[in-house]
Amino acid sequence: MQNLYPLFERNRILKKELLWSLRDYSFSQIQLEYQEYGQGIIQGCPVQVQGSELAVGPGMIKYGGFICLMMEEQRIEYGPKEETQYLKLKIETDRNSPDYIAYDIQLLLDLKGKQSDNEFELCRFNLRKGAQLRDHYKDFFDMETAYDTVNVLHADWGGLGGSAVAPEVTRYFAESVLENRNSLSDDCSFAYFCLGQPGAVPVKILTDYCSRRTGKPPEDRMDAVGLYRSLCVILNHIQKGNESKDRDKKERHRILVD
């Protein structure tokens, strides 16, 4: 297979073969990079509460094998409903044109959970009348608060090998671990790994870490909420300082040469 690299020089004409090459590189590179990722949010799409609106930042979403780019912030109004509301991204595909396929990304806020494959949950919340919705947490354990709080635990994230936990969860856990002096070296190493990921932590790695630290056998089908609760157990043990650091200490051996 031949790879063509156009030379952008004066008085040079871009032939159709070179235009095709530009097309292939612009689309194929990103498709290849995320071909092993599950369907869902890949990067970005942070949710912020701004007055009476929810603002969703730019991001990348994998849908039907195609990487959709949301280049600009989108906003939607919200209000109290006295029941759970779901903020979702909905992707509509338009194939009417013979020249292109259009992927239209829209924000959707309703009282129903995920209904179809083209809907991706960003967060959920239950806002009571007279209360204010918040997107900041008191601590890591506060992320599952039932009322008046943005909950990202159920967000539809795609990671390497399948679905994944929202990076906001693992990064918050990592920061909490590094702030605590009782953290073992294994915890710190995992925390550095979480903070170094541009997207979501692969579920296999997260599941294995939780299994090793809690002493429970890994569950292949553990969902995002189950993994979050395992992280809560681990962080609670770290904060209490009940664990021995004996296994974290390495003995130094001296070799005496005569």
Side-chain angles (χ1 to χ4, degrees):
M1 181 178 179
Q2 190 178 44
N3 289 266
L4 299 178
Y5 291 85
L7 298 176
F8 296 97
E9 297 178 357
R10 188 175 183 181
N11 298 326
R12 303 303 302 174
I13 298 175
L14 283 178
K15 300 177 182 179
K16 63 179 181 180
E17 291 83 4
L18 299 179
L19 292 174
W20 291 341
S21 179
L22 289 175
R23 173 204 63 190
D24 294 339
Y25 282 120
S26 62
F27 283 98
S28 299
Q29 189 275 334
I30 195 170
Q31 300 293 90
L32 289 172
E33 183 176 354
Y34 295 104
Q35 64 180 341
E36 297 183 33
Y37 279 60
Q39 185 166 273
I41 306 165
I42 301 297
Q43 287 191 33
C45 298
V47 180
Q48 289 185 325
V49 178
Q50 297 185 358
S52 61
E53 293 182 322
L54 293 172
V56 180
M60 298 168 53
I61 307 98
K62 184 175 182 180
Y63 169 59
F66 186 79
I67 303 299
C68 301
L69 302 179
M70 192 168 73
M71 303 300 295
E72 298 179 353
E73 180 183 83
Q74 293 196 33
R75 293 169 173 265
I76 191 170
E77 291 188 351
Y78 74 95
K81 295 289 185 181
E82 298 293 344
E83 57 183 305
T84 302
Q85 299 182 61
Y86 302 86
L87 177 64
K88 296 176 284 187
L89 285 173
K90 186 173 183 178
I91 302 178
E92 297 284 358
T93 306
D94 183 0
R95 300 176 181 268
N96 293 326
S97 174
D99 299 322
Y100 58 81
I101 300 174
Y103 292 87
D104 185 31
I105 306 175
Q106 298 179 347
L107 284 183
L108 177 65
L109 183 62
D110 60 23
L111 303 178
K112 299 178 181 179
K114 186 176 179 181
Q115 298 294 301
S116 59
D117 290 339
N118 68 332
E119 293 181 357
F120 301 94
E121 180 176 332
L122 290 165
C123 70
R124 60 180 65 178
F125 58 89
N126 190 328
L127 180 61
R128 296 170 292 185
K129 291 183 179 180
Q132 290 185 337
L133 185 64
R134 62 189 177 97
D135 56 14
H136 292 84
Y137 311 103
K138 300 175 182 177
D139 51 34
F140 184 71
F141 309 99
D142 188 39
M143 296 190 80
E144 201 178 9
T145 298
Y147 296 100
D148 313 321
T149 307
V150 170
N151 185 327
V152 299
L153 299 180
H154 304 267
D156 292 314
W157 275 81
L160 189 62
S163 60
V165 178
E168 186 175 351
V169 176
T170 51
R171 289 170 186 165
Y172 199 168
F173 172 79
E175 291 170 356
S176 301
V177 165
L178 295 178
E179 289 173 358
N180 198 296
R181 294 184 177 180
N182 294 323
S183 300
L184 304 179
S185 60
D186 290 349
D187 301 318
C188 293
S189 296
F190 181 73
Y192 295 140
F193 177 78
C194 291
L195 294 176
Q197 290 293 300
V201 174
V203 169
K204 284 188 177 180
I205 295 178
L206 184 55
T207 302
D208 184 74
Y209 170 75
C210 290
S211 173
R212 291 175 185 273
R213 289 294 280 109
T214 60
K216 297 181 180 179
E219 297 182 25
D220 295 334
R221 297 185 179 181
M222 183 179 291
D223 60 11
V225 176
L227 288 168
Y228 163 75
R229 290 172 180 170
S230 292
L231 293 176
C232 285
V233 171
I234 296 169
L235 187 58
N236 185 50
H237 287 164
I238 292 174
Q239 290 180 345
K240 288 182 177 179
N242 293 334
E243 295 181 293
S244 172
K245 285 198 173 185
D246 290 341
R247 69 180 181 87
D248 206 30
K249 295 178 181 178
K250 295 181 179 179
E251 295 183 1
R252 295 182 179 180
H253 299 277
R254 292 188 300 171
I255 301 177
L256 301 178
V257 181
D258 228 356

